[in-house]
Amino acid sequence: MDALRIVLEVLLVLTSIFLILSILMHKGKGGGLSDMFGGGISSSIGSSGVAERNLNRITIGISLLWGTSIVLLGLMQRFV
């Protein structure tokens, strides 16, 4: 069980890093913190709709892996 716990912890760290990066890569919708830091200037120059949809899918997939690893680590903590 120690090997599974180590694998899940490494997966949690990696998915956390990739989730942060994928969220930061999203185009700002305006009116939020993205405008404060200059995101509103490049919003008209931003990526195409296809790239944004693919980034949304990647972000959702990473977040599902992240949540699953947290739940599995919690179950292992509780029952093992």
Side-chain angles (χ1 to χ4, degrees):
M1 283 297 179
D2 287 334
L4 181 60
R5 184 181 307 267
I6 291 171
V7 168
L8 285 173
E9 288 174 353
V10 168
L11 181 66
L12 181 64
V13 170
L14 290 176
T15 55
S16 297
I17 292 169
F18 287 129
L19 188 60
I20 290 169
L21 292 175
S22 67
I23 289 172
L24 288 175
M25 285 174 33
H26 278 281
K27 182 173 62 169
K29 301 294 182 199
L33 286 177
S34 62
D35 283 343
M36 183 186 304
F37 296 113
I41 297 170
S42 64
S43 65
S44 62
I45 305 172
S47 61
S48 68
V50 175
E52 189 71 24
R53 273 187 272 139
N54 287 337
L55 186 58
N56 286 339
R57 291 178 186 145
I58 291 170
T59 304
I60 290 170
I62 292 172
S63 65
L64 288 174
L65 278 174
W66 182 79
T68 304
S69 63
I70 288 177
V71 169
L72 290 175
L73 279 170
L75 289 173
M76 287 184 65
Q77 181 75 23
R78 174 97 175 165
F79 295 114
V80 175

